[in-house]
């Protein structure tokens, strides 16, 4: 009897495997036929089924799947089916999470729809995955020109201003302020000043996804990625101990320009004083 049950289960598994292979084969044939008929939506659905049933085929069908996805996305875009378009890209990125071509294409759609900050995130990821991907680099620099305000460049090249901030931060840290929060960190320069001055703990928050990613790159380039905790958050949303372990002893910021209204510098500083900054005894 045990041998009979074992044989039954083995035959059942063999039958299931044969059925899977047959379904995969038929779906591949149907997908190819749909492509020939330019029925990209149905072809995309067939490829999704194939890749979920036979993940071992990911490499062999990758280019054809990309082509199908991009063609179907173009149709969805023209029909203003925006949510369906994003759903398709989310499905594709679940199957190919480290595919720079799909990331770049997603970014291009987001950029055309006006979601520039989100687009920059996908372009940045594509460049990280493949630093030699020329299209992604060009797209990232293009969207960065929209998002990185010109006053950032002016400030970074203002030696007098930078020296003044450095000295002020050094004085505060040397006076006993060992934990620092940088609100609206931008490129991360004030956070790095604080760390170089000797602060034990440095936290920095940045609302813009593009500037947050830029700050991560700048901090890493200066070998401080383990010493400065970067938060992609609005300062008003920082929670203790979820985001930072305890109140800090110094808050630094230069939230000016449009940030005066967007981040809300007055509200941010009041919030920092009441909830994030150590109170004097």
């Amino acid at each position: 009897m045990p041998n009979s049950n074992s044989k039954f289960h083995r035959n059942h598994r063999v039958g299931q495997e044969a059925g899977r292979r047959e379904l995969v084969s038929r779906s591949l044939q149907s997908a190819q036929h749909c492509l020939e008929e330019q029925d990209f939506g149905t072809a995309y659905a067939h490829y999704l089924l194939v890749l979920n049933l036979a993940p071992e085929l990911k490499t062999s069908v990758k280019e054809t799947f990309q082509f199908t996805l991009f063609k179907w996305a173009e149709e969805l875009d023209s029909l203003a089916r925006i949510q369906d378009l994003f759903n398709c890209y989310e499905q594709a990125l679940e199957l190919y999470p480290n595919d720079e071509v799909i990331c770049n294409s997603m970014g291009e759609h987001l950029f055309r729809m006006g979601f520039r900050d989100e687009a920059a995130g996908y372009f940045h990821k594509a460049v990280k995955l493949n630093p030699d991907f020329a299209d992604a680099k060009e797209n990232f620099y293009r969207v960065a020109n929209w998002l990185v305000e010109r006053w950032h460049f002016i400030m970074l090249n203002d030696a007098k201003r930078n020296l003044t901030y450095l000295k002020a931060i050094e004085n505060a840290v040397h006076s006993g302020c060992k934990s620092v929060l940088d609100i609206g960190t931008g490129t991360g320069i004030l956070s790095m000043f604080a760390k170089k001055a000797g602060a034990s703990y440095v936290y920095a928050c940045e609302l813009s996804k593009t500037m947050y990613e830029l700050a991560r790159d700048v901090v890493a380039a200066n070998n401080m990625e383990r010493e400065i905790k970067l938060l992609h958050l609005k300062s008003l949303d920082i929670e203790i101990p979820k985001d930072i372990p305890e109140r800090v002893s110094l808050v630094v910021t230069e939230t000016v320009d449009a940030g005066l209204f967007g981040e809300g510098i007055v509200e941010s500083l009041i919030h920092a004083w009441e909830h994030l900054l150590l109170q004097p005894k």
Side-chain angles (χ1 to χ4, degrees):
M1 192 70 171
N3 289 336
S4 176
N5 286 336
S6 177
K7 183 177 181 180
F8 171 78
H9 288 302
R10 185 168 60 251
N11 290 338
H12 181 65
R13 287 195 298 271
V14 170
Q16 282 185 321
E17 178 61 20
R20 183 186 73 92
R21 290 179 179 177
E22 177 66 18
L23 182 56
V24 168
S25 177
R26 288 180 178 272
S27 293
L28 282 172
Q29 292 175 9
S30 297
Q32 187 59 44
H33 175 73
C34 290
L35 285 178
E36 292 171 357
E37 297 295 319
Q38 297 190 352
D39 183 359
F40 300 114
T42 307
Y44 175 76
H46 280 298
Y47 276 119
L48 279 184
L49 178 62
V50 168
L51 290 168
N52 279 287
L53 287 174
E56 67 273 12
L57 296 179
K58 281 185 179 180
T59 301
S60 60
V61 305
K62 179 178 177 179
E63 290 187 8
T64 310
F65 175 76
Q66 288 175 342
F67 172 81
T68 306
L69 168 67
F70 299 157
K71 286 294 186 180
W72 178 225
E74 287 177 7
E75 285 192 22
L76 292 173
D77 194 8
S78 67
L79 295 170
R81 292 172 56 183
I82 305 306
Q83 189 57 56
D84 289 335
L85 185 154
F86 288 152
N87 289 342
C88 286
Y89 273 96
E90 287 176 1
Q91 293 166 339
L93 287 169
E94 285 180 6
L95 293 166
Y96 297 96
N98 295 318
D99 188 289
E100 69 274 18
V101 178
I102 295 177
C103 286
N104 183 64
S105 180
M106 175 67 157
E108 290 176 336
H109 281 287
L110 286 165
F111 184 78
R112 284 196 295 271
M113 293 174 192
F115 301 107
R116 294 178 180 134
D117 208 25
E118 293 83 353
Y122 281 97
F123 293 145
H124 185 265
K125 181 178 179 180
V127 173
K128 284 287 188 181
L129 290 168
N130 182 2
D132 296 323
F133 189 6
D135 287 349
K137 286 198 291 187
E138 181 180 345
N139 283 333
F140 181 69
Y141 294 144
R142 179 161 56 104
V143 74
N145 283 332
W146 284 87
L147 294 172
V148 179
E149 294 87 346
R150 290 296 179 265
W151 51 265
H152 274 291
F153 301 108
I154 297 172
M155 289 192 305
L156 291 173
N157 287 284
D158 187 342
K160 183 177 179 180
R161 162 201 168 272
N162 293 339
L163 184 58
T164 301
Y165 264 96
L166 176 59
K167 287 182 177 179
I169 291 172
E170 284 179 343
N171 289 337
V173 171
H174 295 165
S175 297
C177 296
K178 296 300 183 182
S179 56
V180 180
L181 171 64
D182 179 6
I183 296 178
T185 191
T187 58
I189 188 171
L190 299 186
S191 295
M192 291 187 291
F193 283 171
K195 195 62 196 178
K196 288 181 178 179
S200 302
Y201 306 100
V202 180
Y203 312 99
C205 65
E206 175 57 54
L207 182 60
S208 165
K209 177 68 172 175
T210 304
M211 294 308 299
Y212 167 75
E213 296 290 355
L214 179 59
R216 288 182 61 185
D217 288 345
V218 172
V219 168
N222 285 273
N223 299 314
M224 293 186 182
E225 65 270 30
R226 294 184 180 180
E227 302 176 37
I228 298 173
K229 182 177 181 180
L230 288 164
L231 303 167
H232 181 215
L233 287 173
K234 190 175 182 179
S235 62
L236 297 173
D237 295 331
I238 295 176
E239 297 179 19
I240 298 172
K242 178 183 175 183
D243 302 307
I244 60 177
E246 58 187 2
R247 293 187 177 196
V248 298
S249 52
L250 176 67
V251 169
V252 296
T253 187
E254 193 175 16
T255 316
V256 294
D257 193 74
L260 186 62
F261 305 100
E263 170 70 358
I265 185 61
V266 176
E267 291 87 347
S268 298
L269 292 177
I270 291 173
H271 174 73
W273 174 259
E274 293 178 344
H275 301 286
L276 305 175
L277 189 64
L278 286 171
Q279 302 295 314
K281 296 180 179 180

